[in-house]
Amino acid sequence: MRSFITHVLTFLLGCVVAAFVVLSLARKTSLVWQDNFKTRIAYTFQQGGARAAEQQDWVGVEYAFQASQAVQNGAAAHEWDISLPLFGWSITGLAKEHDQTFWLVDHAAMAYALAQQGKTDEANAIYKKLADRYPDKDREYFNQVAIQFLSTLDSAPR
């Protein structure tokens, strides 16, 4: 009788561990997929901004990069309400932290577009944010980042 109870308990423990692993992998897959989707949306907005820059539509450039930044900052992956070991996921590198990949180019392009429109106060405010984050860089550097990124996006396949 003792071995039967041991087998049942081992089976139940195995089922719990297997369910936990399956739920953990499903959650991580969902978070990674949602983050990739968010990045693709932001990149699509940036490509639209590059097309607007090609046509000298600086208002369109400004709005496209504002939209890209809004997607990157405002769209968060939906997470399940049950608590799971987040520390273990962050060690494996699967847990998604806030992505700052587009921050520099979004802000540089917005500042450049505002400067091209003659909105110097708004452009200076964004240049100040950029300089605060990257104190060793100057305004010319940020303009070159914006110009290079816009031309790279414009030549990218659509």
Side-chain angles (χ1 to χ4, degrees):
M1 183 56 102
R2 189 165 172 86
S3 69
F4 176 72
I5 292 174
T6 304
H7 287 311
V8 169
L9 289 176
T10 304
F11 175 74
L12 290 177
L13 181 62
C15 288
V16 168
V17 169
F20 183 77
V21 167
V22 167
L23 288 175
S24 299
L25 290 175
R27 179 183 181 276
K28 293 317 303 167
T29 302
S30 174
L31 290 176
V32 169
W33 180 84
Q34 289 178 59
D35 184 61
N36 287 339
F37 186 61
K38 177 176 76 168
T39 302
R40 278 183 282 174
I41 291 171
Y43 185 71
T44 301
F45 279 124
Q46 290 176 341
Q47 283 184 317
R51 284 190 292 277
E54 181 183 10
Q55 300 168 357
Q56 303 293 315
D57 178 13
W58 299 111
V59 174
V61 173
E62 175 191 355
Y63 290 144
F65 282 92
Q66 281 178 347
S68 170
Q69 195 56 219
V71 167
Q72 287 295 318
N73 290 336
H78 176 71
E79 296 190 28
W80 299 342
D81 294 333
I82 58 176
S83 67
L84 295 170
L86 294 175
F87 181 70
W89 286 329
S90 64
I91 289 175
T92 62
L94 293 175
K96 186 63 193 141
E97 298 297 326
H98 181 65
D99 186 10
Q100 293 295 320
T101 306
F102 293 134
W103 194 89
L104 171 64
V105 293
D106 282 346
H107 282 79
M110 281 189 290
Y112 183 75
L114 286 167
Q116 294 299 315
Q117 295 174 52
K119 297 179 180 178
T120 55
D121 291 339
E122 291 97 339
N124 289 337
I126 295 176
Y127 282 124
K128 182 177 178 346
K129 280 199 311 193
L130 287 163
D132 289 344
R133 189 157 212 182
Y134 302 99
D136 57 334
K137 308 296 184 200
D138 62 353
R139 185 179 183 135
E140 184 59 34
Y141 170 81
F142 299 127
N143 284 339
Q144 289 302 316
V145 166
I147 291 167
Q148 182 177 6
F149 189 69
L150 288 170
S151 66
T152 301
L153 278 177
D154 188 42
S155 64
R158 295 174 186 160

